[in-house]
Amino acid sequence: MSGSRLPGFFRLGIDERRRIVAELGGVDGATLAAVLDRGGIDIATADRMIENVIGTHGLPLGVATNFLVDGSDVLVPMAIEEPSVVAAASNAARLVREGGGFITDADPPLMIAQVQLVDVPEPALCSERITKAAPELCAIADRAMPTVVARGGGAREVEVRDLGDGMMVVHLVVDCRDAMGANVVNTVAEAVAPRICQIAGARVGLRILSNLADRRRVRVLARVPAAALAHGGRPAREVVLGIAGASRFAEKDPYRAATHNKGIMNGVDAVVIATGNDWRAVEAGAHAHAASSGRYRPLSTWSESENGDLVGSIEMPLALGTVGGAARLHDGAKLVLEILGVRGASELARIACAVGLASNLAALRALATEGIQEGHMPLARRGSS
Ligand code: MEV
């Protein structure tokens, strides 16, 4: 067994699976077992993380196999309660592997701090003054986040938006490097607000990050050779067209798009949770982005390529961190990051997005062929190949 292509992994016992994951993930086997035996977190740590603690709450942690992302094999730990998701993502990753694997691309890790202004007397003049003061505001912001600046991040841009009725909002665009960014961006919003208030001659309202992290988008492409899709006596072309047709359905109908996107989030959230990241923030950003055209749309689409292969793409905002937050305290999250072998937040986001696209492909293939109950659910018993 090598890389992430592990046929028959599902047939092994838990100890043997752990041994393989430790070996391939380059982590100490005894440490892996000790951390996972206590569910990733001990009660004393839990008591430091939140309030009024009475225990910890476990979820199954599985490992998706077969993922080839930007030419590298990766074993993907997923925390999720729903049967079939891990096996289905692994199966879809095997199909995409036959087309060369997932190809990804990510924006720089830019997050938005919002400072709301109310009772603005002259919006046009206010906008002009704040825009002129951008270098000063960026300098104030940078002084409020020395650690982020030391890591190469910092304030990058100031945007002013007129929301009408005397309400405006100032955006400080912050490069937060490998942090998810919520803490630092909220600190920045509060640090720059008094000066913005002086310049604007208006009252400051809310000072908080935006979870519509649309400056921090990730894109993933996948190609599956048509021949790999022939399934259960169905010719390959029928399956390709069935999946493309399922995608058209989601593009035309928000009721279907919501379920299509839920299938994507099955994969994304399982990685987000396993790495101790804020899945509510990721969900909020994903759905706000899905609706950003004014109509709720699918985050991914699939079509038949010129040579008859199936091609899919996804774009979504993903605000994930590999430093700070739970990644600092939660031993299970730290272990998962080690197994993934990611060098930073961008790489983690690319992998999570690829897993989302794989989960989506698996669901659409089952829906377009034998149906989800017949095809997808029995995977829970059969495992992945
Ligand atoms: C179930 O968790 C997810 C699906 O409903 C997604 C879809 O319909 O595309 C199978």
Side-chain angles (χ1 to χ4, degrees), residues 315-346:
E315 183 189 71
M316 64 183 293
L318 264 172
L320 299 183
T322 53
V323 298
R328 192 166 50 86
L329 293 171
H330 193 289
D331 285 342
K334 284 192 252 183
L335 178 75
V336 165
L337 288 170
E338 254 185 277
I339 294 169
L340 283 166
V342 287
R343 284 179 294 267
S346 164

PDB file of all heavy atoms in Angstrom, residues 315-346:
ATOM      1  N   GLU A 315     -16.571  26.495  -7.025  1.00  0.00           N
ATOM      2  CA  GLU A 315     -15.944  27.684  -6.462  1.00  0.00           C
ATOM      3  C   GLU A 315     -16.711  28.049  -5.207  1.00  0.00           C
ATOM      4  O   GLU A 315     -17.942  28.091  -5.222  1.00  0.00           O
ATOM      5  CB  GLU A 315     -15.982  28.862  -7.436  1.00  0.00           C
ATOM      6  CG  GLU A 315     -15.265  30.069  -6.862  1.00  0.00           C
ATOM      7  CD  GLU A 315     -15.461  31.330  -7.684  1.00  0.00           C
ATOM      8  OE1 GLU A 315     -16.589  31.873  -7.672  1.00  0.00           O
ATOM      9  OE2 GLU A 315     -14.490  31.768  -8.312  1.00  0.00           O
ATOM     10  N   MET A 316     -15.998  28.270  -4.122  1.00  0.00           N
ATOM     11  CA  MET A 316     -16.670  28.678  -2.879  1.00  0.00           C
ATOM     12  C   MET A 316     -15.689  29.401  -1.966  1.00  0.00           C
ATOM     13  O   MET A 316     -14.481  29.178  -2.048  1.00  0.00           O
ATOM     14  CB  MET A 316     -17.264  27.455  -2.162  1.00  0.00           C
ATOM     15  CG  MET A 316     -16.250  26.450  -1.693  1.00  0.00           C
ATOM     16  SD  MET A 316     -17.014  24.990  -0.932  1.00  0.00           S
ATOM     17  CE  MET A 316     -17.713  25.709   0.547  1.00  0.00           C
ATOM     18  N   PRO A 317     -16.209  30.278  -1.088  1.00  0.00           N
ATOM     19  CA  PRO A 317     -15.309  30.886  -0.111  1.00  0.00           C
ATOM     20  C   PRO A 317     -14.993  29.871   0.980  1.00  0.00           C
ATOM     21  O   PRO A 317     -15.871  29.094   1.367  1.00  0.00           O
ATOM     22  CB  PRO A 317     -16.147  32.054   0.459  1.00  0.00           C
ATOM     23  CG  PRO A 317     -17.540  31.835   0.061  1.00  0.00           C
ATOM     24  CD  PRO A 317     -17.596  30.728  -0.964  1.00  0.00           C
ATOM     25  N   LEU A 318     -13.775  29.858   1.450  1.00  0.00           N
ATOM     26  CA  LEU A 318     -13.411  28.931   2.526  1.00  0.00           C
ATOM     27  C   LEU A 318     -12.437  29.620   3.481  1.00  0.00           C
ATOM     28  O   LEU A 318     -11.250  29.768   3.156  1.00  0.00           O
ATOM     29  CB  LEU A 318     -12.778  27.673   1.949  1.00  0.00           C
ATOM     30  CG  LEU A 318     -13.718  26.488   1.752  1.00  0.00           C
ATOM     31  CD1 LEU A 318     -13.035  25.374   0.990  1.00  0.00           C
ATOM     32  CD2 LEU A 318     -14.233  25.960   3.087  1.00  0.00           C
ATOM     33  N   ALA A 319     -12.961  30.034   4.621  1.00  0.00           N
ATOM     34  CA  ALA A 319     -12.126  30.689   5.634  1.00  0.00           C
ATOM     35  C   ALA A 319     -11.715  29.637   6.653  1.00  0.00           C
ATOM     36  O   ALA A 319     -12.462  29.325   7.576  1.00  0.00           O
ATOM     37  CB  ALA A 319     -12.915  31.808   6.302  1.00  0.00           C
ATOM     38  N   LEU A 320     -10.541  29.058   6.437  1.00  0.00           N
ATOM     39  CA  LEU A 320     -10.040  28.007   7.329  1.00  0.00           C
ATOM     40  C   LEU A 320      -8.694  28.431   7.905  1.00  0.00           C
ATOM     41  O   LEU A 320      -7.962  29.197   7.281  1.00  0.00           O
ATOM     42  CB  LEU A 320      -9.855  26.696   6.551  1.00  0.00           C
ATOM     43  CG  LEU A 320     -11.103  26.088   5.921  1.00  0.00           C
ATOM     44  CD1 LEU A 320     -10.761  24.768   5.248  1.00  0.00           C
ATOM     45  CD2 LEU A 320     -12.193  25.883   6.961  1.00  0.00           C
ATOM     46  N   GLY A 321      -8.391  27.890   9.077  1.00  0.00           N
ATOM     47  CA  GLY A 321      -7.101  28.195   9.693  1.00  0.00           C
ATOM     48  C   GLY A 321      -6.340  26.936  10.040  1.00  0.00           C
ATOM     49  O   GLY A 321      -6.935  25.881  10.293  1.00  0.00           O
ATOM     50  N   THR A 322      -5.015  27.060  10.041  1.00  0.00           N
ATOM     51  CA  THR A 322      -4.174  25.958  10.542  1.00  0.00           C
ATOM     52  C   THR A 322      -3.380  26.429  11.758  1.00  0.00           C
ATOM     53  O   THR A 322      -2.595  25.670  12.317  1.00  0.00           O
ATOM     54  CB  THR A 322      -3.204  25.447   9.460  1.00  0.00           C
ATOM     55  OG1 THR A 322      -2.477  26.575   8.941  1.00  0.00           O
ATOM     56  CG2 THR A 322      -3.930  24.761   8.324  1.00  0.00           C
ATOM     57  N   VAL A 323      -3.537  27.704  12.126  1.00  0.00           N
ATOM     58  CA  VAL A 323      -2.930  28.213  13.372  1.00  0.00           C
ATOM     59  C   VAL A 323      -4.024  28.931  14.155  1.00  0.00           C
ATOM     60  O   VAL A 323      -5.010  29.389  13.581  1.00  0.00           O
ATOM     61  CB  VAL A 323      -1.749  29.191  13.099  1.00  0.00           C
ATOM     62  CG1 VAL A 323      -0.630  28.501  12.355  1.00  0.00           C
ATOM     63  CG2 VAL A 323      -2.219  30.431  12.340  1.00  0.00           C
ATOM     64  N   GLY A 324      -3.833  29.030  15.479  1.00  0.00           N
ATOM     65  CA  GLY A 324      -4.823  29.699  16.326  1.00  0.00           C
ATOM     66  C   GLY A 324      -6.077  28.855  16.475  1.00  0.00           C
ATOM     67  O   GLY A 324      -6.173  27.751  15.941  1.00  0.00           O
ATOM     68  N   GLY A 325      -7.050  29.367  17.207  1.00  0.00           N
ATOM     69  CA  GLY A 325      -8.330  28.685  17.393  1.00  0.00           C
ATOM     70  C   GLY A 325      -8.155  27.289  17.965  1.00  0.00           C
ATOM     71  O   GLY A 325      -7.222  27.012  18.731  1.00  0.00           O
ATOM     72  N   ALA A 326      -9.038  26.378  17.547  1.00  0.00           N
ATOM     73  CA  ALA A 326      -8.993  25.015  18.080  1.00  0.00           C
ATOM     74  C   ALA A 326      -7.722  24.298  17.635  1.00  0.00           C
ATOM     75  O   ALA A 326      -7.259  23.366  18.305  1.00  0.00           O
ATOM     76  CB  ALA A 326     -10.231  24.245  17.637  1.00  0.00           C
ATOM     77  N   ALA A 327      -7.149  24.726  16.487  1.00  0.00           N
ATOM     78  CA  ALA A 327      -5.923  24.085  16.004  1.00  0.00           C
ATOM     79  C   ALA A 327      -4.798  24.195  17.037  1.00  0.00           C
ATOM     80  O   ALA A 327      -3.828  23.444  17.012  1.00  0.00           O
ATOM     81  CB  ALA A 327      -5.490  24.711  14.676  1.00  0.00           C
ATOM     82  N   ARG A 328      -4.917  25.169  17.949  1.00  0.00           N
ATOM     83  CA  ARG A 328      -3.887  25.381  18.973  1.00  0.00           C
ATOM     84  C   ARG A 328      -4.111  24.458  20.184  1.00  0.00           C
ATOM     85  O   ARG A 328      -3.166  24.037  20.832  1.00  0.00           O
ATOM     86  CB  ARG A 328      -3.948  26.855  19.399  1.00  0.00           C
ATOM     87  CG  ARG A 328      -2.790  27.355  20.239  1.00  0.00           C
ATOM     88  CD  ARG A 328      -2.824  28.876  20.287  1.00  0.00           C
ATOM     89  NE  ARG A 328      -4.142  29.388  20.655  1.00  0.00           N
ATOM     90  CZ  ARG A 328      -4.582  29.560  21.909  1.00  0.00           C
ATOM     91  NH1 ARG A 328      -3.811  29.264  22.923  1.00  0.00           N
ATOM     92  NH2 ARG A 328      -5.791  30.040  22.158  1.00  0.00           N
ATOM     93  N   LEU A 329      -5.393  24.170  20.469  1.00  0.00           N
ATOM     94  CA  LEU A 329      -5.721  23.479  21.724  1.00  0.00           C
ATOM     95  C   LEU A 329      -6.128  22.018  21.549  1.00  0.00           C
ATOM     96  O   LEU A 329      -5.931  21.198  22.441  1.00  0.00           O
ATOM     97  CB  LEU A 329      -6.896  24.214  22.404  1.00  0.00           C
ATOM     98  CG  LEU A 329      -6.614  25.617  22.921  1.00  0.00           C
ATOM     99  CD1 LEU A 329      -7.918  26.274  23.365  1.00  0.00           C
ATOM    100  CD2 LEU A 329      -5.644  25.557  24.098  1.00  0.00           C
ATOM    101  N   HIS A 330      -6.765  21.703  20.434  1.00  0.00           N
ATOM    102  CA  HIS A 330      -7.439  20.414  20.269  1.00  0.00           C
ATOM    103  C   HIS A 330      -6.459  19.384  19.696  1.00  0.00           C
ATOM    104  O   HIS A 330      -6.061  19.480  18.528  1.00  0.00           O
ATOM    105  CB  HIS A 330      -8.638  20.629  19.334  1.00  0.00           C
ATOM    106  CG  HIS A 330      -9.608  19.494  19.302  1.00  0.00           C
ATOM    107  ND1 HIS A 330      -9.309  18.294  18.712  1.00  0.00           N
ATOM    108  CD2 HIS A 330     -10.864  19.378  19.784  1.00  0.00           C
ATOM    109  CE1 HIS A 330     -10.355  17.493  18.829  1.00  0.00           C
ATOM    110  NE2 HIS A 330     -11.310  18.129  19.477  1.00  0.00           N
ATOM    111  N   ASP A 331      -6.078  18.392  20.492  1.00  0.00           N
ATOM    112  CA  ASP A 331      -5.070  17.420  20.035  1.00  0.00           C
ATOM    113  C   ASP A 331      -5.537  16.655  18.799  1.00  0.00           C
ATOM    114  O   ASP A 331      -4.734  16.316  17.926  1.00  0.00           O
ATOM    115  CB  ASP A 331      -4.758  16.413  21.153  1.00  0.00           C
ATOM    116  CG  ASP A 331      -3.893  17.040  22.230  1.00  0.00           C
ATOM    117  OD1 ASP A 331      -3.271  18.084  21.957  1.00  0.00           O
ATOM    118  OD2 ASP A 331      -3.862  16.488  23.349  1.00  0.00           O
ATOM    119  N   GLY A 332      -6.843  16.352  18.744  1.00  0.00           N
ATOM    120  CA  GLY A 332      -7.381  15.614  17.594  1.00  0.00           C
ATOM    121  C   GLY A 332      -7.231  16.443  16.318  1.00  0.00           C
ATOM    122  O   GLY A 332      -6.834  15.919  15.262  1.00  0.00           O
ATOM    123  N   ALA A 333      -7.542  17.728  16.394  1.00  0.00           N
ATOM    124  CA  ALA A 333      -7.422  18.606  15.224  1.00  0.00           C
ATOM    125  C   ALA A 333      -5.960  18.708  14.786  1.00  0.00           C
ATOM    126  O   ALA A 333      -5.647  18.673  13.587  1.00  0.00           O
ATOM    127  CB  ALA A 333      -7.982  19.990  15.549  1.00  0.00           C
ATOM    128  N   LYS A 334      -5.060  18.804  15.778  1.00  0.00           N
ATOM    129  CA  LYS A 334      -3.622  18.885  15.448  1.00  0.00           C
ATOM    130  C   LYS A 334      -3.164  17.620  14.736  1.00  0.00           C
ATOM    131  O   LYS A 334      -2.406  17.669  13.760  1.00  0.00           O
ATOM    132  CB  LYS A 334      -2.802  19.087  16.731  1.00  0.00           C
ATOM    133  CG  LYS A 334      -2.880  20.506  17.268  1.00  0.00           C
ATOM    134  CD  LYS A 334      -1.836  20.717  18.339  1.00  0.00           C
ATOM    135  CE  LYS A 334      -2.499  20.788  19.683  1.00  0.00           C
ATOM    136  NZ  LYS A 334      -1.650  21.052  20.814  1.00  0.00           N
ATOM    137  N   LEU A 335      -3.632  16.480  15.233  1.00  0.00           N
ATOM    138  CA  LEU A 335      -3.269  15.192  14.632  1.00  0.00           C
ATOM    139  C   LEU A 335      -3.778  15.113  13.184  1.00  0.00           C
ATOM    140  O   LEU A 335      -3.059  14.679  12.274  1.00  0.00           O
ATOM    141  CB  LEU A 335      -3.871  14.064  15.471  1.00  0.00           C
ATOM    142  CG  LEU A 335      -3.630  12.660  14.947  1.00  0.00           C
ATOM    143  CD1 LEU A 335      -2.189  12.232  15.218  1.00  0.00           C
ATOM    144  CD2 LEU A 335      -4.592  11.660  15.595  1.00  0.00           C
ATOM    145  N   VAL A 336      -5.020  15.540  12.988  1.00  0.00           N
ATOM    146  CA  VAL A 336      -5.608  15.498  11.639  1.00  0.00           C
ATOM    147  C   VAL A 336      -4.798  16.387  10.682  1.00  0.00           C
ATOM    148  O   VAL A 336      -4.524  15.994   9.539  1.00  0.00           O
ATOM    149  CB  VAL A 336      -7.098  15.932  11.698  1.00  0.00           C
ATOM    150  CG1 VAL A 336      -7.627  16.248  10.317  1.00  0.00           C
ATOM    151  CG2 VAL A 336      -7.933  14.837  12.369  1.00  0.00           C
ATOM    152  N   LEU A 337      -4.391  17.556  11.147  1.00  0.00           N
ATOM    153  CA  LEU A 337      -3.581  18.443  10.291  1.00  0.00           C
ATOM    154  C   LEU A 337      -2.257  17.775   9.934  1.00  0.00           C
ATOM    155  O   LEU A 337      -1.765  17.907   8.810  1.00  0.00           O
ATOM    156  CB  LEU A 337      -3.341  19.792  10.982  1.00  0.00           C
ATOM    157  CG  LEU A 337      -4.566  20.704  11.054  1.00  0.00           C
ATOM    158  CD1 LEU A 337      -4.295  21.908  11.960  1.00  0.00           C
ATOM    159  CD2 LEU A 337      -4.984  21.192   9.670  1.00  0.00           C
ATOM    160  N   GLU A 338      -1.706  17.035  10.895  1.00  0.00           N
ATOM    161  CA  GLU A 338      -0.447  16.312  10.630  1.00  0.00           C
ATOM    162  C   GLU A 338      -0.659  15.225   9.577  1.00  0.00           C
ATOM    163  O   GLU A 338       0.151  15.047   8.664  1.00  0.00           O
ATOM    164  CB  GLU A 338       0.027  15.654  11.917  1.00  0.00           C
ATOM    165  CG  GLU A 338       1.211  16.343  12.561  1.00  0.00           C
ATOM    166  CD  GLU A 338       1.682  15.543  13.756  1.00  0.00           C
ATOM    167  OE1 GLU A 338       1.077  15.728  14.831  1.00  0.00           O
ATOM    168  OE2 GLU A 338       2.623  14.723  13.608  1.00  0.00           O
ATOM    169  N   ILE A 339      -1.759  14.467   9.721  1.00  0.00           N
ATOM    170  CA  ILE A 339      -2.043  13.383   8.758  1.00  0.00           C
ATOM    171  C   ILE A 339      -2.231  13.979   7.364  1.00  0.00           C
ATOM    172  O   ILE A 339      -1.748  13.447   6.360  1.00  0.00           O
ATOM    173  CB  ILE A 339      -3.294  12.584   9.195  1.00  0.00           C
ATOM    174  CG1 ILE A 339      -3.010  11.834  10.496  1.00  0.00           C
ATOM    175  CG2 ILE A 339      -3.738  11.614   8.093  1.00  0.00           C
ATOM    176  CD1 ILE A 339      -4.249  11.240  11.156  1.00  0.00           C
ATOM    177  N   LEU A 340      -2.942  15.105   7.290  1.00  0.00           N
ATOM    178  CA  LEU A 340      -3.154  15.761   5.993  1.00  0.00           C
ATOM    179  C   LEU A 340      -1.829  16.274   5.415  1.00  0.00           C
ATOM    180  O   LEU A 340      -1.684  16.395   4.195  1.00  0.00           O
ATOM    181  CB  LEU A 340      -4.112  16.945   6.153  1.00  0.00           C
ATOM    182  CG  LEU A 340      -5.600  16.608   6.289  1.00  0.00           C
ATOM    183  CD1 LEU A 340      -6.365  17.833   6.790  1.00  0.00           C
ATOM    184  CD2 LEU A 340      -6.169  16.139   4.949  1.00  0.00           C
ATOM    185  N   GLY A 341      -0.917  16.598   6.315  1.00  0.00           N
ATOM    186  CA  GLY A 341       0.396  17.090   5.876  1.00  0.00           C
ATOM    187  C   GLY A 341       0.325  18.447   5.208  1.00  0.00           C
ATOM    188  O   GLY A 341       1.142  18.764   4.339  1.00  0.00           O
ATOM    189  N   VAL A 342      -0.661  19.264   5.593  1.00  0.00           N
ATOM    190  CA  VAL A 342      -0.805  20.561   4.923  1.00  0.00           C
ATOM    191  C   VAL A 342       0.212  21.564   5.456  1.00  0.00           C
ATOM    192  O   VAL A 342       0.532  21.569   6.638  1.00  0.00           O
ATOM    193  CB  VAL A 342      -2.236  21.144   5.063  1.00  0.00           C
ATOM    194  CG1 VAL A 342      -3.202  20.373   4.199  1.00  0.00           C
ATOM    195  CG2 VAL A 342      -2.702  21.165   6.508  1.00  0.00           C
ATOM    196  N   ARG A 343       0.678  22.421   4.540  1.00  0.00           N
ATOM    197  CA  ARG A 343       1.657  23.425   4.931  1.00  0.00           C
ATOM    198  C   ARG A 343       0.990  24.713   5.404  1.00  0.00           C
ATOM    199  O   ARG A 343       1.644  25.583   5.944  1.00  0.00           O
ATOM    200  CB  ARG A 343       2.600  23.720   3.761  1.00  0.00           C
ATOM    201  CG  ARG A 343       3.628  22.625   3.533  1.00  0.00           C
ATOM    202  CD  ARG A 343       4.507  22.955   2.348  1.00  0.00           C
ATOM    203  NE  ARG A 343       3.704  22.953   1.127  1.00  0.00           N
ATOM    204  CZ  ARG A 343       3.550  21.896   0.320  1.00  0.00           C
ATOM    205  NH1 ARG A 343       4.188  20.780   0.590  1.00  0.00           N
ATOM    206  NH2 ARG A 343       2.804  21.960  -0.758  1.00  0.00           N
ATOM    207  N   GLY A 344      -0.312  24.838   5.200  1.00  0.00           N
ATOM    208  CA  GLY A 344      -0.967  26.069   5.637  1.00  0.00           C
ATOM    209  C   GLY A 344      -2.443  26.054   5.299  1.00  0.00           C
ATOM    210  O   GLY A 344      -2.985  25.070   4.768  1.00  0.00           O
ATOM    211  N   ALA A 345      -3.101  27.182   5.598  1.00  0.00           N
ATOM    212  CA  ALA A 345      -4.557  27.271   5.466  1.00  0.00           C
ATOM    213  C   ALA A 345      -5.019  27.140   4.020  1.00  0.00           C
ATOM    214  O   ALA A 345      -6.077  26.566   3.741  1.00  0.00           O
ATOM    215  CB  ALA A 345      -5.037  28.597   6.052  1.00  0.00           C
ATOM    216  N   SER A 346      -4.238  27.666   3.089  1.00  0.00           N
ATOM    217  CA  SER A 346      -4.644  27.616   1.683  1.00  0.00           C
ATOM    218  C   SER A 346      -4.698  26.167   1.201  1.00  0.00           C
ATOM    219  O   SER A 346      -5.664  25.740   0.553  1.00  0.00           O
ATOM    220  CB  SER A 346      -3.655  28.442   0.842  1.00  0.00           C
ATOM    221  OG  SER A 346      -3.800  28.131  -0.510  1.00  0.00           O
TER     222      SER A 346
END
